[in-house]
Amino acid sequence: MSVELLEGAPVALGGPRGMSVVRTLPSRHRRMVGAWCFLDAYGPHDLAGSPGMRVGPHPHIGLQTVTWLLSGEVLHRDSLGNRQEIRPGQLNIMTAGSGISHSEETPAEHGPVLQGVQLWVALPDPDRHMPPAFAHHADLPVIREGGLTATVLMGTLAGATSPARCHTPLMAAEITLTAGTTTSIPVNPTFEYAILTLDGETTTAGTALKPGPLLYVGAGHSTLDLSAGPPTRVLLLGGEPFEEKLVMWWNFVARTSEEVVAAREAWNAAEHNAGAGPFGEVLGYDGPRIPAPPMPITTLVARGRVR
C-alpha cells in the first residue's frame, strides 16, 4: 500500500493577524488528492474575547470551495448576493468557475468554539470557465453501522450519495468512530485517498494518526481499515488522480501564469470601481477587501499533482 504522511504548515487565515489554520494541501511534495488541491483545518478555537473568523472579500477562479464545520458557525457572503450561515452537519459549496468573490466571518451570535475545514476542488478544463454558483446542503446522507457513523459530503460512500455537484469523480466524508471501534470501509480502487484525523486518534495502513498531518493512501484498494482508540472523528477524501497540470497561486487555480496575472490585475483594479470586472462585489461585510499580493519575480509554471 502506497502511504505518505503529509505534515501540515501553520498559516494565518486572512493575513498576519488572522486565525491560525494548519494547511496540509498543497504540501511540499504532493499537491493534490484526486481533484482536492487545498485543505486547511482550524480549531478548536475558543472564541471568548476573540472576533473568530474574519476573512474579507477575496476572489477565486477555476475551483470549488467546500466548507465543513465540526463546531461553531460561519457566515458566507458572495458576489452573487448569497448570504448563508453554516453550522455543523451542513455543507457550503461555492463554484468559482470564471470568477466570484466572497467573505467568511464568525456571525455576531455564535457558539463558544469554532472548528472546521476549508477545502478546494480543482475544476477540470471543460468546467473551469463555467458561470459561478453557490449551494447549501443542510441534509446529507448518513451511514450508521456498529460503532461507525459517516456523513457523505460529496460523491458516494458505501452506496450513499451526496446531493452536492461534483465535476470530477471524487468523494468526501466525515467518519466518527466510537472508542475501540475497528472497521473496514469499502472504497473505489480507481481513487487515491487521504485521511485527516479531526478529533481523537485512528490507525490506518499501519499508521497512527493524530490531528495535524494528512495521511495519503494511493489507489488500488477496495477497502480501508480504520481503528479508533478514544472516540475519533476523521475526514476521508478521495478521487481519481487529476492529470491536468495546474498553476495555483493565492486564491486562483489556472493553467498558465498569464491567466493568474490577468485575474490578479482585474481584482486589484476593481478596488477603485466596485463591482467591476469578473468578480463582482460582496455586499454587507463590515471590513476591507483583501488585495492580491505582488506576483513572484519568476514566471509561474503549471505543475502536476506531485512536485
Side-chain angles (χ1 to χ4, degrees):
M1 180 176 287
S2 174
V3 174
E4 183 180 349
L5 195 63
L6 311 178
E7 296 291 345
V11 177
L13 191 66
R17 298 183 181 179
M19 187 178 70
S20 177
V21 304
V22 176
R23 184 164 299 165
T24 48
L25 282 179
S27 69
R28 183 175 180 180
H29 299 293
R30 183 166 299 280
R31 304 176 78 220
M32 305 179 72
V33 177
W36 299 99
C37 61
F38 181 93
L39 171 54
D40 277 355
Y42 51 88
H45 291 296
D46 183 354
L47 298 185
S50 165
M53 181 179 290
R54 292 279 297 169
V55 183
H58 58 282
H60 290 290
I61 59 170
L63 58 86
Q64 291 177 297
T65 66
V66 179
T67 304
W68 181 254
L69 295 180
L70 284 70
S71 58
E73 304 83 17
V74 170
L75 177 60
H76 162 98
R77 290 185 174 94
D78 65 42
S79 54
L80 300 179
N82 295 294
R83 182 187 186 279
Q84 178 66 59
E85 190 168 307
I86 182 174
R87 296 179 174 87
Q90 304 173 353
L91 181 73
N92 273 6
I93 181 164
M94 185 183 75
T95 303
S98 59
I100 197 171
S101 57
H102 73 133
S103 65
E104 294 175 295
E105 63 185 304
T106 298
E109 300 292 329
H110 59 80
V113 176
L114 179 63
Q115 183 178 7
V117 291
Q118 178 76 57
L119 306 108
W120 295 355
V121 179
L123 292 174
D125 193 62
D127 298 320
R128 67 190 185 95
H129 296 300
M130 67 181 290
F134 175 80
H136 174 78
H137 298 284
D139 188 15
L140 296 167
V142 178
I143 303 163
R144 293 182 175 87
E145 183 176 335
L148 174 147
T149 301
T151 303
V152 184
L153 282 61
M154 297 183 72
T156 299
L157 179 67
T161 300
S162 165
R165 184 180 180 186
C166 300
H167 295 266
T168 57
L170 56 77
M171 62 79 58
E174 181 196 90
I175 298 171
T176 61
L177 303 172
T178 58
T181 295
T182 296
T183 188
S184 184
I185 300 172
V187 294
N188 187 332
T190 68
F191 283 16
E192 54 186 359
Y193 287 90
I195 300 168
L196 180 74
T197 296
L198 302 168
D199 295 314
E201 182 177 349
T202 187
T203 299
T204 186
T207 304
L209 193 62
K210 295 182 178 180
L214 181 70
L215 184 68
Y216 170 81
V217 180
H221 310 285
S222 58
T223 60
L224 286 177
D225 296 331
L226 293 174
S227 297
T232 295
R233 182 162 37 175
V234 304
L235 179 69
L236 175 65
L237 303 174
E240 284 189 358
F242 194 88
E243 300 297 348
E244 297 179 39
K245 291 185 177 182
L246 304 177
V247 174
M248 292 178 58
W249 181 83
W250 196 46
N251 297 312
F252 305 136
V253 173
R255 299 301 185 275
T256 67
S257 183
E258 290 76 13
E259 290 177 355
V260 170
V261 170
R264 175 190 177 274
E265 290 177 351
W267 174 248
N268 281 353
E271 181 177 5
H272 306 292
N273 189 7
F279 300 110
E281 184 179 7
V282 178
L283 300 177
Y285 181 81
D286 184 17
R289 70 207 302 273
I290 301 175
M295 290 292 299
I297 297 174
T298 57
T299 300
L300 299 171
V301 177
R303 302 183 187 279
R305 66 182 189 272
V306 178
R307 292 186 190 274

